[in-house]
Amino acid sequence: MGAEEEPLYRNFISRIDIDRGINALEYLNFISMEDEKFAEFKNDIFSSNDAIELNLIKNNAYKEAIILAIKKESEKERILREFLIDEQKTFGGSKLFYLNGNFDKILVLAVPGSMEGKLSMVIQRLNKINEKISRLNMKIRKGNFEIYEKRIRMHDKKDRIIDMINKNLRL
């Protein structure tokens, strides 16, 4: 059986990370959601959101905003997008944060004086996503080792190299 017929090793999933550069973060005090800074988030704001949240937005109750940039290596992962979409809603159906169309920025809106609490909740959600990714990566690691065990009899140097990377490279 040739190497092409064997299952391939899977790559690990990158954890979600926020760009911590001072210029990557935007903090805004604003009067209206009509500000052009929010244009790239409009689709997410007005789709699949609950009535209470939409009412707060339409009545301009929110006066503070933070826009966080997702680090470049994280933005390409399809599974991260799915996790972000899953985790952005509260139990009541409101969205805790909003995503732009490229899934490379997060918008957090808050009423005056509540930004720290809201941002803390968003960070907890991002940590929850990273815990899910860690569990998935453990499964991938196990699956890769099982593939390696099946292919070990082929004595392929590439298999040994990949196994060494899988076992020793920290994510």
Side-chain angles (χ1 to χ4, degrees):
M1 187 176 329
E4 296 82 29
E5 298 172 33
E6 292 289 326
L8 299 175
Y9 295 101
R10 290 181 55 200
N11 287 316
F12 291 104
I13 300 165
S14 299
R15 295 167 57 94
I16 192 153
D17 198 7
I18 299 299
D19 189 333
R20 289 166 176 82
I22 196 78
N23 295 325
L25 172 106
E26 292 185 63
Y27 173 79
L28 307 163
N29 280 311
F30 61 94
I31 296 169
S32 165
M33 290 294 298
E34 298 305 315
D35 190 311
E36 67 182 51
K37 294 270 187 185
F38 304 122
E40 65 184 313
F41 299 97
K42 291 282 185 180
N43 284 340
D44 195 35
I45 290 171
F46 292 107
S47 68
S48 302
N49 213 345
D50 78 337
I52 296 170
E53 182 73 6
L54 289 173
N55 193 36
L56 289 169
I57 291 166
K58 288 177 184 172
N59 290 318
N60 294 312
Y62 292 125
K63 300 294 181 193
E64 291 182 272
I66 294 176
I67 299 175
L68 305 169
I70 296 174
K71 286 187 81 174
K72 296 293 181 199
E73 56 272 3
S74 299
E75 74 186 36
K76 294 182 182 95
E77 296 273 0
R78 178 191 55 81
I79 195 140
L80 288 180
R81 292 177 183 188
E82 292 172 13
F83 284 159
L84 280 166
I85 290 168
D86 288 346
E87 291 298 330
Q88 77 182 131
K89 285 206 171 190
T90 65
F91 293 115
S94 298
K95 289 185 179 179
L96 188 58
F97 58 87
Y98 300 98
L99 301 164
N100 68 346
N102 293 332
F103 292 89
D104 62 353
K105 291 183 185 173
I106 294 173
L107 170 67
V108 181
L109 297 171
V111 296
S114 68
M115 182 53 83
E116 279 190 39
K118 189 104 176 244
L119 184 58
S120 177
M121 287 189 285
V122 171
I123 292 168
Q124 287 174 359
R125 294 292 176 97
L126 296 177
N127 284 334
K128 187 176 177 183
I129 291 169
N130 283 338
E131 288 171 15
K132 288 180 182 179
I133 290 168
S134 291
R135 288 192 297 274
L136 276 173
N137 281 338
M138 292 294 283
K139 289 179 183 177
I140 291 170
R141 182 182 305 268
K142 182 181 178 203
N144 282 350
F145 183 70
E146 289 171 359
I147 291 168
Y148 173 72
E149 284 183 320
K150 288 177 186 174
R151 292 176 53 93
I152 200 166
R153 68 187 183 286
M154 296 174 71
H155 303 289
D156 188 345
K157 282 262 192 213
K158 288 182 181 180
D159 284 313
R160 280 186 258 154
I161 293 167
I162 291 171
D163 185 57
M164 187 174 186
I165 293 168
N166 283 336
K167 286 180 179 175
N168 298 304
L169 182 63
R170 291 189 182 112
L171 298 176

